[in-house]
C-alpha cells in the first residue's frame, strides 16, 4: 500500500456513526450474511465504517460495532513486516489452521467497543479470510503478525464474540476496570478526531 493516502477515499465519503460498547446486545449475536451487493446502502455503510475506524484510531471495525448485525468488517492494519493493508471483507470465513501448523503469538489486544482497555492475548500468527467485496466479487485476505490478529478479532465480532471472552476472569475484570478509568479520555480523543476530519461526533 505504498503511496496509498493516509485517509482512504472511503473515509472521506463517510458519515459518523456511533460505536457500540460492551454490554450492548448487538455485539452478542451472530451477524447476518449480506445477500444484496452493489447497493448504495452497502457502499455507504463501508464508507461510514472507514470514517469511524479513523475517528476511533482503530485497526479494524466490524458492522455490529456501528450497530448493524451484518457480516462485514473494514481494516487498515500493518503486518509483521510493516506492510500496510487496507480493505473490507463481506461475509468473511476464517480458514481453519491445522494444529501442527499453528503458532501462537502473545500481544496486547484492544477493541474499539471496549474503549481504553487492552490485554495480552495469544492469537495465531497467520490468518486467511475468504469472502467478497461490497460488489460481490470474491476476495481472499491473508495476514501475518498483528494483521493476522486483526482478521481473527474482527471475524470473532461477526460471531458475537469479544476479545474479552477469550481472557481469563481476572484479566477480563482488569480490562473492564481500565475501560471505566480511561473511557472518558478515549471519547474526548474521538470527538477531537471527528472534528479534525470535518464532522461532529455521533
Amino acid at each position: 500500500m505504498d503511496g496509498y493516502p493516509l485517509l482512504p477515499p472511503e473515509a472521506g465519503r463517510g458519515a459518523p456513526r456511533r460505536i457500540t460498547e460492551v454490554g450492548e446486545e448487538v455485539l452478542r449475536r451472530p451477524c447476518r450474511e449480506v445477500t444484496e451487493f452493489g447497493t448504495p446502502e452497502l457502499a455507504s455503510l463501508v464508507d461510514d465504517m472507514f470514517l469511524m475506524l479513523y475517528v476511533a484510531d482503530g485497526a479494524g471495525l466490524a458492522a455490529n460495532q456501528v450497530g448493524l448485525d451484518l457480516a462485514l468488517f473494514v481494516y487498515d492494519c500493518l503486518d509483521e513486516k510493516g506492510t500496510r493493508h487496507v480493505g473490507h471483507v463481506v461475509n468473511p470465513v476464517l480458514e481453519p489452521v491445522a494444529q501442527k501448523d499453528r503458532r501462537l503469538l502473545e500481544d496486547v489486544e484492544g477493541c474499539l467497543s471496549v474503549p481504553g482497555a487492552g490485554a495480552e492475548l495469544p492469537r495465531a500468527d497467520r490468518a486467511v479470510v475468504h469472502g467478497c467485496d461490497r460488489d460481490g466479487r470474491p476476495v481472499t485476505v491473508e495476514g501475518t503478525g498483528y494483521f493476522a490478529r486483526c482478521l481473527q478479532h474482527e471475524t470473532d465480532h461477526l460471531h458475537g464474540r469479544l476479545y474479552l471472552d477469550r481472557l481469563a476472569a481476572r484479566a477480563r475484570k482488569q480490562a473492564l476496570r481500565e475501560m471505566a478509568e480511561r473511557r472518558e479520555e478515549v471519547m474526548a480523543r474521538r470527538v477531537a478526531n471527528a472534528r479534525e476530519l470535518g464532522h461532529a461526533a455521533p
Side-chain angles (χ1 to χ4, degrees), residues 5 18 39 45 50 55 59 61 67 81 84 86 106 109 112 121-122 127 131 136 141 161 167 186:
R18 179 182 165 273
T39 65
L45 175 59
F50 265 110
V55 166
L61 185 70
K81 295 180 179 178
R84 183 185 179 200
V86 182
E106 189 104 10
E109 190 164 326
L112 302 185
L121 180 66
V141 182
R161 171 179 275 185
L167 300 176
V186 171

Side-chain angles (χ1 to χ4, degrees), residues 95-109:
E95 187 176 291
V97 180
Q99 194 67 34
K100 64 181 180 63
D101 300 323
R102 196 162 180 257
R103 188 167 73 96
L104 296 179
L105 289 180
E106 189 104 10
D107 205 341
V108 175
E109 190 164 326

Side-chain angles (χ1 to χ4, degrees), residues 16-195:
R17 295 188 184 227
R18 179 182 165 273
I19 293 179
T20 54
E21 295 184 29
V22 57
E24 296 186 44
E25 193 269 338
V26 70
L27 291 172
R28 286 305 187 183
R29 62 176 183 260
C31 291
R32 298 174 290 121
E33 280 200 357
V34 174
T35 56
E36 295 185 26
F37 298 91
T39 65
E41 293 80 10
L42 186 59
S44 292
L45 175 59
V46 171
D47 292 347
D48 296 352
M49 289 172 64
F50 265 110
L51 173 64
M52 293 314 298
L53 184 66
Y54 301 108
V55 166
D57 297 317
L61 185 70
N64 55 0
Q65 292 183 276
V66 293
L68 295 176
D69 60 342
L70 288 175
L72 158 68
F73 66 77
V74 302
Y75 57 85
D76 185 343
C77 190
L78 302 179
D79 64 18
E80 66 180 352
K81 295 180 179 178
T83 301
R84 183 185 179 200
H85 300 264
V86 182
H88 69 278
V89 186
V90 181
N91 298 337
V93 176
L94 187 65
E95 187 176 291
V97 180
Q99 194 67 34
K100 64 181 180 63
D101 300 323
R102 196 162 180 257
R103 188 167 73 96
L104 296 179
L105 289 180
E106 189 104 10
D107 205 341
V108 175
E109 190 164 326
C111 179
L112 302 185
S113 293
V114 191
E120 292 274 345
L121 180 66
R123 292 271 193 185
D125 69 335
R126 176 180 173 273
V128 178
V129 168
H130 304 282
C132 53
D133 68 11
R134 63 189 182 187
D135 294 314
R137 295 179 294 239
V139 296
T140 295
V141 182
E142 180 175 349
T144 58
Y146 209 85
F147 185 38
R149 179 175 297 273
C150 174
L151 294 175
Q152 293 167 82
H153 178 109
E154 300 308 327
T155 304
D156 268 358
H157 268 303
L158 303 182
H159 292 287
R161 171 179 275 185
L162 298 173
Y163 87 101
L164 296 175
D165 302 328
R166 295 184 176 274
L167 300 176
R170 179 177 294 181
R172 187 162 55 248
K173 288 179 183 176
Q174 176 60 31
L176 291 172
R177 279 196 294 269
E178 286 182 16
M179 174 180 164
E181 291 168 0
R182 299 192 56 213
R183 182 183 179 279
E184 187 174 333
E185 169 194 340
V186 171
M187 293 305 173
R189 189 163 64 246
R190 290 181 185 178
V191 169
N193 288 346
R195 286 176 179 160

